[in-house]
Amino acid sequence: TQSTWGELGSHVHEVMLLVLVLATVLPTAPFSIPQPGSLANFGKCNISDLEVVKVPSIGSQFHDSGITARDVLNHVMRSLPSMQLLPLELTSLMSSDGRLSKPVVSVIGGEPGELLLAMAAFEKTSERQLSPLQVSSILSEYILSTSRPKFHYQVDTLVLENLCRKMKFCHPQFRLDRPPLNMMNALKQQLILPENQGCAHFAHLLQYPVEFGIRVELTQSFITAFFDLLWGFPQNRLGRQAMSLIQSKIDLVVLQGRHSERGLLIVRTTSCSPNHIPALIPELSDMSLTLDYEDAALFDMIGLSSLLGRVWLKWGLIASEKSSPSVALLQQMKVHREKMVQAARDLDGGRTATFSVQWPAYCCATRQY
């Protein structure tokens, strides 16, 4: 479950589950645009429209968790009364985590993970390493330019317990969103450690930088830049109005409880308009699933490659004669995501039961019915 700072309690945690994301070829076809009144057809969505398919294990071993495609379908159907059809451009992307008990659209690493992927693609394409100041500048520019209401970064109560044990930074005496000035530097040193990540993807990036293809220094700079912005002391110079807007949009999400995900569900939404993406609930009363919206990740990559392409030109970097910076960055992001997916699969070793669902047009109210 997700908490505010005032609701935090003490919980015993287990080691994070490895988040397995199945590598697939992302679609390049344009999304359909919903016709006026098409939401009236949502009533035609029923259980026969939805089909959950179990994905064969790719790892060397497969440990059957006892979950079946029917179990996953029942979970999805129970989510339908609370499901929301959300516009991707205005919807904050959450990290793929089964401890969320509200309708979400989630991708590997969430919105921060997507932006960090774009920065890694920028480094690969430009053959230049981003400095901490440049990372901070890009993060600030993204938050200022995005139409999404919030930029969520995820921690959990295990992180807070570690901070309390290691440096006596204990809740409720101290709050991670507003720490004392004299503790900020020590906190940042702790918050770039793998064991102090509330998102499994960021822990993997810090533990296995070679396998995931992202410099550990780049990941550390990104995490540091987020907390600098959250606390009001960014490395890059920002005006008062810009700083106020950024701080109104960044959000430190605290997840509680143990990981209890029984499987991964890949949600494919190629039949849906990007204005009507079905947001499902990962955690219900008796079952938790990790959700990965792979088509939402593609949508996000397109926007991020455009942003980083503008940064490329603003910084006066030389573009390839064959393609624009945005096109080259998008292609690199796709390739890099597949590399990270493969790394996650290798780490998981086939332990996670994986399923997929192709969301039908009727059930997201597009014109393709």
Side-chain angles (χ1 to χ4, degrees):
T1 56
Q2 179 180 333
S3 299
T4 62
W5 279 95
E7 298 169 341
L8 288 178
S10 176
H11 295 268
V12 179
H13 285 72
E14 60 187 14
V15 177
M16 281 182 162
L17 289 177
L18 294 175
V19 176
L20 170 67
V21 182
L22 184 69
T24 56
V25 177
L26 290 171
T28 57
F31 293 100
S32 63
I33 305 300
Q35 295 293 323
S38 62
L39 285 172
N41 290 279
F42 181 73
K44 296 181 180 180
C45 178
N46 56 57
I47 196 166
S48 63
D49 294 317
L50 296 169
E51 182 182 6
V52 172
V53 178
K54 189 169 186 177
V55 178
S57 172
I58 303 173
S60 57
Q61 296 181 344
F62 183 75
H63 305 276
D64 191 352
S65 63
I67 188 173
T68 66
R70 183 70 186 184
D71 295 328
V72 176
L73 178 58
N74 287 338
H75 182 100
V76 171
M77 295 305 298
R78 290 168 59 204
S79 294
L80 288 182
S82 301
M83 188 190 78
Q84 300 175 16
L85 295 173
L86 302 177
L88 277 179
E89 190 174 359
L90 302 176
T91 300
S92 301
L93 300 181
M94 302 300 293
S95 177
S96 296
D97 194 299
R99 293 173 292 179
L100 293 162
S101 55
K102 65 178 183 179
V104 297
V105 177
S106 55
V107 297
I108 181 172
E111 210 164 327
E114 289 288 297
L115 181 55
L116 181 56
L117 169 62
M119 292 184 189
F122 187 98
E123 288 196 340
K124 180 69 173 180
T125 306
S126 67
E127 298 181 344
R128 297 188 179 196
Q129 293 185 357
L130 294 170
S131 69
L133 177 59
Q134 290 170 327
V135 170
S136 182
S137 297
I138 293 173
L139 176 58
S140 299
E141 185 165 349
Y142 172 76
I143 296 173
L144 287 170
S145 64
T146 183
S147 301
R148 291 169 174 156
K150 291 291 184 180
F151 182 84
H152 299 291
Y153 187 86
Q154 176 179 311
V155 296
D156 60 20
T157 45
L158 176 60
V159 174
L160 302 184
E161 290 166 6
N162 287 342
L163 295 176
C164 182
R165 184 176 63 256
K166 291 182 178 180
M167 53 180 295
K168 307 304 180 184
F169 185 89
C170 303
H171 179 83
Q173 179 183 2
F174 298 117
R175 293 169 54 114
L176 190 54
D177 59 342
R178 295 199 300 269
L181 185 62
N182 64 345
M183 300 186 77
M184 288 181 180
N185 287 335
L187 278 172
K188 285 188 285 188
Q189 291 301 311
Q190 288 294 320
L191 290 167
I192 59 174
L193 299 177
E195 61 268 28
N196 288 330
Q197 304 308 308
C199 171
H201 179 62
F202 271 79
H204 292 162
L205 296 180
L206 292 166
Q207 286 178 292
Y208 309 103
V210 175
E211 291 83 349
F212 281 81
I214 296 183
R215 290 188 303 117
V216 68
E217 295 85 1
L218 178 59
T219 304
Q220 291 172 338
S221 293
F222 185 94
I223 296 169
T224 299
F226 172 83
F227 283 100
D228 283 340
L229 285 172
L230 180 68
W231 299 336
F233 296 95
Q235 294 188 41
N236 54 312
R237 298 183 64 179
L238 290 168
R240 181 179 299 178
Q241 186 174 1
M243 191 68 240
S244 177
L245 178 58
I246 287 176
Q247 289 199 301
S248 72
K249 296 177 75 173
I250 56 177
D251 181 40
L252 187 65
V253 176
V254 181
L255 297 183
Q256 295 190 71
R258 299 182 177 215
H259 277 282
S260 59
E261 295 93 332
R262 297 185 62 193
L264 165 69
L265 177 62
I266 302 166
V267 184
R268 299 190 172 107
T269 56
T270 51
S271 297
C272 300
S273 161
N275 294 321
H276 293 94
I277 298 300
L280 300 174
I281 301 176
E283 183 182 50
L284 295 174
S285 58
D286 60 345
M287 188 163 152
S288 172
L289 293 173
T290 298
L291 305 179
D292 176 46
Y293 285 72
E294 58 178 24
D295 301 312
L298 172 62
F299 181 90
D300 214 44
M301 281 191 273
I302 293 171
L304 287 169
S305 63
S306 179
L307 171 68
L308 271 294
R310 294 194 299 271
V311 171
W312 184 296
L313 296 176
K314 184 167 67 175
W315 290 357
L317 301 180
I318 299 174
S320 169
E321 297 179 358
K322 297 181 180 179
S323 62
S324 69
S326 296
V327 172
L329 288 167
L330 177 59
Q331 183 58 38
Q332 181 58 42
M333 287 181 72
K334 291 180 181 180
V335 171
H336 203 143
R337 187 177 197 266
E338 291 184 7
K339 177 184 178 69
M340 293 194 300
V341 162
Q342 183 61 54
R345 290 159 59 189
D346 291 344
L347 283 173
D348 185 77
R351 289 184 293 272
T352 302
T354 306
F355 304 84
S356 69
V357 59
Q358 176 67 53
W359 209 260
Y362 273 158
C363 297
C364 54
T366 73
R367 66 182 180 184
Q368 297 181 12
Y369 47 76

